[in-house]
């Protein structure tokens, strides 16, 4: 059974987290036109999660500003989720009015060449304005 937790962060920002640890955390911020997707997408059958995301995307695009920004900060993505993520971005591209600006930011941990290559692969396919940004993961000091 697929369910998700709805976390209202403000009147215009809603975060979603499924009840499975294999789904990413998603945030739709209508007031700023921002979608954030982070964490792990390791579902073998990712269709339920991504179908839900596609529905949320359609609602978001109806209410969003002239600029739509999507930020991905993924730790891991299963191949079935990659296919669904590509469909999600194609849906974004198809349903965005020509007067809206779309920006995609692909964050990857410094040194994670696999995630960098995946971002480049996705960029080649969907052909949206996309930039890859490396970050340093700060780990708690172990004693």
């Amino acid at each position: 059974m697929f369910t998700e937790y709805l976390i209202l962060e403000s009147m215009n920002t809603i975060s979603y987290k499924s009840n499975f640890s294999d789904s990413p955390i998603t945030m739709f911020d209508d007031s700023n036109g921002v979608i954030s997707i982070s964490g792990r997408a390791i579902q073998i059958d990712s269709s339920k999660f991504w179908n839900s995301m596609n529905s949320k995307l359609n609602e978001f695009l109806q209410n969003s500003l002239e600029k739509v920004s999507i930020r991905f900060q993924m730790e891991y993505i299963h191949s079935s989720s990659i296919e669904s993520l590509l469909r999600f971005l194609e849906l974004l591209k198809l349903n965005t009015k020509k007067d809206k600006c779309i920006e995609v930011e692909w964050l990857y941990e410094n040194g994670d060449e696999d995630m960098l290559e995946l971002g480049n692969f996705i960029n080649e396919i969907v052909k949206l304005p996309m930039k890859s940004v490396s970050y340093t993961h700060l780990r708690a000091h172990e004693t």
Side-chain angles (χ1 to χ4, degrees):
M1 179 173 149
F2 178 79
T3 59
E4 61 190 5
Y5 300 102
L6 173 66
I7 306 163
L8 183 64
E9 294 184 356
S10 73
M11 291 304 287
N12 297 317
T13 305
I14 299 175
S15 292
Y16 298 91
K17 175 66 178 143
S18 88
N19 62 338
F20 298 110
S21 61
D22 59 1
S23 300
I25 296 171
T26 60
M27 183 203 58
F28 290 80
D29 181 348
D30 288 334
S31 62
N32 293 308
V34 176
I35 301 170
S36 296
I37 302 172
S38 62
R40 308 174 110 222
I42 56 176
Q43 316 95 321
I44 293 172
D45 178 9
S46 62
S47 61
K48 290 179 185 176
F49 173 80
W50 286 100
N51 287 342
S52 173
M53 288 289 293
N54 291 342
S55 295
K56 291 176 184 67
L57 177 63
N58 285 327
E59 292 172 26
F60 177 82
L61 291 174
Q62 292 174 6
N63 301 322
S64 65
L65 304 172
E66 293 155 6
K67 178 180 170 186
V68 176
S69 299
I70 300 184
R71 172 183 262 194
F72 292 97
Q73 187 172 356
M74 304 303 297
E75 294 173 25
Y76 180 81
I77 304 175
H78 188 275
S79 58
S80 70
S81 288
I82 293 170
E83 293 171 20
S84 298
L85 186 147
L86 288 168
R87 282 193 295 275
F88 177 81
L89 289 172
E90 287 294 337
L91 182 65
L92 169 70
K93 195 163 106 176
L94 289 172
N95 291 321
T96 301
K97 296 176 185 168
K98 293 184 189 242
D99 59 340
K100 283 191 184 187
C101 174
I102 303 172
E103 294 178 351
V104 180
E105 192 173 58
W106 185 266
L107 282 79
Y108 65 96
E109 189 168 357
N110 191 21
D112 188 346
E113 297 300 315
D114 291 336
M115 273 299 162
L116 173 58
E117 287 180 25
L118 178 58
N120 291 336
F121 170 75
I122 289 169
N123 191 21
E124 287 176 21
I125 293 173
V126 296
K127 298 186 182 349
L128 287 170
M130 182 172 172
K131 64 180 178 179
S132 296
V133 179
S134 71
Y135 68 92
T136 302
H137 185 76
L138 301 175
R139 303 187 195 284
H141 180 67
E142 296 179 9
T143 55

